[in-house]
Amino acid sequence: MLVELAIGDAYGAGFEYADPAFVTRHNTLEGYVRHPRHHGIRPGSYTDDTQMTLALAELRVSGAEWTPESVASAFVTAFHRDPREGYARGFQAFLGSVRTGAEFLARIRPDSDKSGAAMRASPAGLLPTADEVLHHTDVQARVTHDTPDGVASARAAALAVHYCHHGLGPVAEVGSWIADRLGSGVWARPWRGKVGSKGVMSVRAALTAVAAGGSLSSVLRACVAFTGDVDTVATVALAAASRSAEIRADLPPALVDGLENGPFGRDHLARLDTVLR
Ligand SMILES: [Mg+2]
């Protein structure tokens, strides 16, 4: 799951808010694409979506208590050991300025309804029961996104992983299952067109791509074809899709091999995947 979502993130990062004509021309999965404007991000590098997901995956694997402070501390540690581009400017500066989870919590204004809590929701989605998934998700989401839509989009993203991982039904019905669980029909409504920065938008687009099924390649291409905030769409979608027995694992070797493989890159993610349950 972690390797696949990182591939989705890194591939999508080349197309984030890029011109639709650029997306149409280059969304071929032949390799990672250099973003037409963000030259600081090397093709094959993942972004904030994967780094924060990795932080939460490591926290789960560590067996430490899942609290606002342990979650915040995981974010701070993951950023400082491996600073990278891709974060929203203000949040990147904030992360750079805090040293501990306690300091993070004391200074954060957790009022965002964007996709930041949803993009990192997948590690909690693997938990055995939906109640545990929702509890863990609420705790991690409220650290930065303590708003109705910020939390709900994280819940929907985590439940999508849960649904696929435990094979709770056909992928085509993932959105309606989540809509039932969360008591909101919005999750069953297919997304069309450009994806903006709100969490609800990214997760609806991701659910639409997953529900179409097929293979990881077709899901990834569909995510990027939406245009807009597509690294997050692809991160959320590939996390869920990679856990589905219905969706064929066929990501091209060029994307697997081209994923960054430094200390926290592909091999590290793959090792963690084997122990994350
Ligand atoms: Mg990102």
Side-chain angles (χ1 to χ4, degrees):
M1 177 179 85
L2 297 170
V3 170
E4 289 88 347
L5 70 84
I7 289 171
D9 178 15
Y11 182 73
F15 298 96
E16 191 183 11
Y17 292 104
D19 185 66
F22 177 88
V23 175
T24 305
R25 193 156 359 105
H26 296 289
N27 183 16
T28 61
L29 306 188
E30 277 169 27
Y32 292 101
V33 170
R34 187 176 290 279
H35 193 281
R37 295 185 311 278
H38 308 158
H39 296 289
I41 299 184
R42 274 232 320 282
S45 300
Y46 62 70
T47 76
D48 55 340
D49 304 59
T50 300
Q51 186 167 72
M52 296 189 92
T53 302
L54 174 57
L56 294 182
E58 289 178 349
L59 179 60
R60 283 217 40 227
V61 166
S62 77
E65 234 193 313
W66 188 274
T67 64
E69 187 165 346
S70 68
V71 164
S73 168
F75 295 155
V76 172
T77 302
F79 179 77
H80 280 275
R81 73 185 183 189
D82 183 24
R84 62 178 57 231
E85 299 297 315
Y87 284 90
R89 283 279 155 246
F91 189 59
Q92 184 166 7
F94 172 77
L95 274 174
S97 77
V98 294
R99 287 282 156 187
T100 66
E103 191 187 355
F104 182 114
L105 291 180
R107 289 184 40 210
I108 189 82
R109 279 209 345 241
D111 58 359
S112 174
D113 63 356
K114 295 190 173 158
S115 55
M119 72 189 189
R120 62 187 189 227
S122 55
L126 299 172
L127 285 159
T129 69
D131 285 345
E132 288 169 275
V133 171
L134 294 179
H135 168 72
H136 282 66
T137 301
D138 291 356
V139 170
Q140 72 84 356
R142 286 180 180 143
V143 166
T144 50
H145 290 68
D146 196 3
T147 58
D149 280 357
V151 173
S153 56
R155 287 179 143 212
L159 286 176
V161 170
H162 187 72
Y163 180 87
C164 291
H165 179 61
H166 295 289
L168 301 181
V171 284
E173 288 167 25
V174 63
S176 45
W177 183 82
I178 293 169
D180 280 350
R181 288 287 327 189
L182 297 183
S184 166
V186 73
W187 305 112
R189 284 210 293 276
W191 181 265
R192 275 187 201 81
K194 184 176 173 182
V195 179
S197 63
K198 306 287 186 193
V200 175
M201 299 171 175
S202 299
V203 177
R204 276 184 61 198
L207 294 176
T208 304
V210 171
S215 70
L216 294 181
S217 290
S218 66
V219 170
L220 179 53
R221 284 193 70 178
C223 289
V224 169
F226 283 118
T227 76
D229 192 5
V230 293
D231 58 326
T232 296
V233 178
T235 302
V236 172
L238 286 215
S242 70
R243 299 312 310 145
S244 169
E246 235 184 277
I247 295 180
R248 199 156 27 91
D250 69 340
L251 287 173
L255 297 187
V256 178
D257 298 342
L259 182 65
E260 65 170 277
N261 200 20
F264 306 103
R266 188 180 65 238
D267 292 347
H268 180 71
L269 296 168
R271 265 194 307 274
L272 207 52
D273 261 330
T274 65
V275 288
L276 180 64
R277 292 285 177 273

